[in-house]
Amino acid sequence: MEWSQVLQDPVLKNLPYKIELNEYGHIVMSPASNLHGYLQSRLVMELAKKIDDGDILVETSIQTSKNVKVADVCWASSQFIEKFGFETPYPKAPELCIEVRSPSNTDREMNEKIELYLAKGALEVWICDSEGLVRFFCHEGEIAESRLVPGFPTHVRV
């Protein structure tokens, strides 16, 4: 299955969970909790306080080497938006991709997403757990704080 087919399928519209495609073109679904949505909104609000250039995006589809993945929150520079607009899915990852970890996510899945987004051009990938703790990753590995968004808190309020 291709991402354009997922978007056009009337049966898949308005589902109460996140959809991605795995490397075989199969739909992978993750149920979304209210806590997940709350953490997404907190991350967006904190980013908006720290960044005045570019755009903050949610549920951003990115074509990776293992098909389409959907980052919970992204920041894309004005240059990124100028080049790619709102192409769906993006052929390259925005500069910052953030995943809110669901209870069903394994360490392996999260590490794979970090690698996939970085391989597609993200400068940083952040993982936020259910307690609101944020971990920062770049091409060199895990870093103590964001270089892209200096001063971003390592904990968002739950």
Side-chain angles (χ1 to χ4, degrees), residues 93-146:
E95 290 89 342
L96 172 61
C97 296
I98 306 172
E99 284 290 335
V100 175
R101 187 176 181 148
S102 299
S104 61
N105 292 132
T106 65
D107 288 342
R108 183 174 173 253
E109 287 173 318
M110 299 315 290
N111 289 333
E112 181 176 73
K113 283 192 173 189
I114 292 167
E115 291 172 16
L116 290 170
Y117 294 147
L118 289 172
K120 286 304 283 191
L123 300 176
E124 288 186 9
V125 178
W126 302 354
I127 304 296
C128 178
D129 71 15
S130 61
E131 301 296 317
L133 296 173
V134 182
R135 296 172 62 201
F136 309 97
F137 300 86
C138 67
H139 290 279
E140 292 84 36
E142 188 166 1
I143 52 179
E145 61 182 12
S146 173

Side-chain angles (χ1 to χ4, degrees), residues 1-149:
M1 182 171 251
E2 296 291 325
W3 193 245
S4 60
Q5 293 171 295
V6 170
L7 293 177
Q8 294 171 5
D9 190 324
V11 176
L12 300 176
K13 291 183 188 237
N14 301 317
L15 293 175
Y17 34 79
K18 183 175 171 176
I19 295 177
E20 295 180 330
L21 291 177
N22 69 15
E23 61 266 35
Y24 308 108
H26 299 144
I27 293 175
V28 178
M29 298 180 217
S30 301
S33 70
N34 290 333
L35 176 60
H36 191 276
Y38 173 80
L39 288 167
Q40 276 183 283
S41 69
R42 296 299 309 169
L43 289 161
V44 168
M45 288 188 282
E46 289 295 331
L47 273 175
K49 292 178 193 176
K50 304 275 184 203
I51 296 179
D52 55 4
D53 175 46
D55 288 292
I56 300 168
L57 310 166
V58 295
E59 301 297 328
T60 307
S61 58
I62 302 161
Q63 183 68 50
T64 74
S65 62
K66 292 202 174 180
N67 221 324
V68 176
K69 301 300 176 199
V70 180
D72 292 311
V73 178
C74 288
W75 171 75
S77 67
S78 50
Q79 294 87 356
F80 182 95
I81 296 297
E82 194 174 300
K83 182 172 183 176
F84 297 107
F86 298 102
E87 191 174 327
T88 304
Y90 281 128
K92 181 179 176 183
E95 290 89 342
L96 172 61
C97 296
I98 306 172
E99 284 290 335
V100 175
R101 187 176 181 148
S102 299
S104 61
N105 292 132
T106 65
D107 288 342
R108 183 174 173 253
E109 287 173 318
M110 299 315 290
N111 289 333
E112 181 176 73
K113 283 192 173 189
I114 292 167
E115 291 172 16
L116 290 170
Y117 294 147
L118 289 172
K120 286 304 283 191
L123 300 176
E124 288 186 9
V125 178
W126 302 354
I127 304 296
C128 178
D129 71 15
S130 61
E131 301 296 317
L133 296 173
V134 182
R135 296 172 62 201
F136 309 97
F137 300 86
C138 67
H139 290 279
E140 292 84 36
E142 188 166 1
I143 52 179
E145 61 182 12
S146 173
R147 297 175 189 159
L148 204 51
V149 188

